[in-house]
Each structure stands twice: as structure tokens, then as C-alpha cells.
């Protein structure tokens, strides 16, 4: 897949109605500080399309990015942000659940986990929810550039074991800095959009 165009089309807050769409969507989910915005920017070859921040928990809306005018890349609010109030976290949780359980055009969910650590309880819950919902999870292990090359296989194995992910579930090691893993991820997304 070649990215020819990408733009932020729709932003939905906790009280917004989700847009009625007829083109496919691929959702991106992950913990607040997993590097979701950086990955989206590197994937779409844009510098500041998705807003990045040094303080986690900035994405509090569901953001719909139109890609090649053919599909939406949907950025879900980060979960597990400890400093957010319980009320805020509950709102985000409901918003994410409503989106994931009602979107008929949703083709797959890309679950981002930090390659440097075992997936958290929240990551495991999200993975289980995706699988139970009958959706296809694509796991992306972010921050690949922050570990030694020799650690990669061990880290991927830990992610697979912690999530109890079947062998056929793809885990893509990804670096937003070097764009390592970008071509592989675009190829996988292409398969789901075909």
C-alpha cells in the first residue's frame, strides 16, 4: 500500500455520535504512553498529523483519519492512564467499547504494546476483548529502537505468551523513528482492506 493522502476527517468526544460511514476502518488501540500518535504519523508519512506529547493521555477523542480516501485509520483514546480521574477513564472506556462493538465497517484492531515490557493487565483485557468480539487483532510492538537487536525475539516471545496470542496472530516489531516494521504493517493492513 502506498500512502498518497491522509487527513483528520472526524473527531468524536464522549457525547458525540459516531459518524455513519461506508468505507472500511482499522482501529488503533493501546496504552496512553505506547507511542500511538508517533506510529500513526510514521505510518502515514506525516510529521504532525496525530498530535504527539511528552505527557501521556492526550488523545481523549476518537480521531478518524481518511487515508487515500479509501479507508479510515481510527485512533482510539489511550487506556490505562493512571493520572486521569476514574470518571474520565470510565468515559473513555465506554467510548472505546461503544466504538468497537458497533462499527460494522471495522476490519481489524491494531493493538499497540511496548516491546520493552510485558503487556499490562489492560493490554491483556483489550486483547481478550478484541478476540471475544470476533475481530482480528494485529499486535504491534512499539519502540523497537529502544532495545538491542539481540533482545527482539525474547521480547516478542514474552508479548505472545502474556497475551496468550495464537501462533497465527501477527506481532510486528515497529520503530516510529527508523520506520522499521512500516512496510510489513502496511502489507498486513492491505490484506484486511482487500
Amino acid at each position: 500500500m502506498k500512502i498518497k493522502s491522509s487527513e483528520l476527517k472526524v473527531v468524536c468526544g464522549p457525547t458525540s455520535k459516531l459518524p455513519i460511514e461506508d468505507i472500511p476502518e482499522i482501529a488503533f488501540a493501546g496504552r496512553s504512553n505506547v507511542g500511538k500518535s508517533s506510529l500513526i504519523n510514521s505510518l502515514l508519512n506525516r510529521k504532525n498529523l496525530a498530535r504527539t506529547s511528552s505527557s501521556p493521555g492526550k488523545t481523549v477523542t476518537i480521531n478518524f483519519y481518511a487515508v487515500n480516501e479509501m479507508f479510515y485509520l481510527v485512533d482510539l483514546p489511550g487506556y490505562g492512564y493512571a493520572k486521569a480521574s476514574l470518571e474520565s477513564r470510565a468515559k473513555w472506556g465506554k467510548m472505546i467499547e461503544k466504538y468497537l462493538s458497533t462499527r460494522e465497517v471495522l476490519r481489524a484492531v491494531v493493538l499497540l504494546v511496548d516491546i520493552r515490557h510485558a503487556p499490562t493487565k489492560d493490554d491483556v483485557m483489550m486483547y481478550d476483548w478484541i478476540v471475544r468480539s470476533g475481530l482480528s487483532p494485529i499486535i504491534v510492538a512499539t519502540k523497537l529502537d529502544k532495545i538491542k537487536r539481540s533482545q527482539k525475539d525474547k521480547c516478542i516471545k514474552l508479548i505472545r505468551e502474556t497475551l496468550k496470542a495464537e501462533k497465527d496472530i501477527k506481532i510486528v516489531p515497529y520503530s516510529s523513528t527508523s520506520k522499521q516494521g512500516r512496510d510489513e504493517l502496511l502489507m498486513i493492513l492491505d490484506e484486511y482492506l482487500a
Side-chain angles (χ1 to χ4, degrees):
M1 176 192 314
K2 273 211 173 357
I3 306 293
K4 296 183 185 95
S5 67
S6 56
E7 63 176 312
L8 179 59
K9 266 280 183 20
V10 182
V11 176
C12 290
T15 57
S16 309
K17 267 200 159 113
L18 292 168
I20 296 165
E21 291 300 342
D22 56 0
I23 61 172
E25 294 174 0
I26 294 188
F28 280 63
R31 265 194 352 263
S32 286
N33 58 349
V34 78
K36 202 155 35 71
S37 298
S38 298
L39 180 136
I40 288 168
N41 287 332
S42 89
L43 192 66
L44 299 179
N45 253 337
R46 296 283 299 269
K47 272 243 180 342
N48 299 308
L49 185 62
R51 286 187 309 192
T52 58
S53 169
S54 54
S55 54
K58 285 291 178 208
T59 305
V60 294
T61 52
I62 297 177
N63 299 325
F64 290 76
Y65 297 96
V67 182
N68 295 343
E69 295 176 19
M70 288 171 49
F71 75 97
Y72 279 112
L73 185 159
V74 183
D75 183 10
L76 300 174
Y79 54 79
Y81 181 47
K83 286 187 182 161
S85 70
L86 285 174
E87 190 185 336
S88 293
R89 283 191 277 172
K91 268 187 203 160
W92 298 345
K94 280 190 185 121
M95 198 163 63
I96 293 169
E97 195 171 329
K98 178 183 165 195
Y99 170 81
L100 291 174
S101 59
T102 61
R103 296 308 275 182
E104 289 178 19
V105 288
L106 184 60
R107 294 284 196 273
V109 180
V110 178
L111 177 62
L112 278 61
V113 294
D114 189 327
I115 198 164
R116 301 170 298 175
H117 314 289
T120 64
K121 277 185 195 161
D122 287 332
D123 292 327
V124 173
M125 271 172 45
M126 179 57 88
Y127 177 80
D128 289 345
W129 196 94
I130 295 165
V131 172
R132 274 198 322 271
S133 299
L135 294 163
S136 301
I138 301 160
I139 302 161
V140 174
T142 62
K143 307 189 182 190
L144 176 62
D145 49 289
K146 306 256 192 241
I147 62 165
K148 292 185 178 122
R149 196 175 287 171
S150 60
Q151 296 174 293
K152 186 177 89 172
D153 291 342
K154 193 178 92 182
C155 293
I156 296 294
K157 186 173 184 260
L158 177 64
I159 290 167
R160 189 175 293 284
E161 286 171 357
T162 307
L163 294 175
K164 296 182 176 71
E166 299 292 329
K167 289 234 184 306
D168 62 329
I169 299 294
K170 297 252 194 272
I171 300 179
V172 181
Y174 198 103
S175 164
S176 296
T177 311
S178 70
K179 295 192 179 174
Q180 192 176 342
R182 181 178 184 268
D183 291 344
E184 186 185 351
L185 182 54
L186 285 171
M187 221 161 64
I188 294 167
L189 297 186
D190 235 354
E191 289 167 19
Y192 282 99
L193 294 165

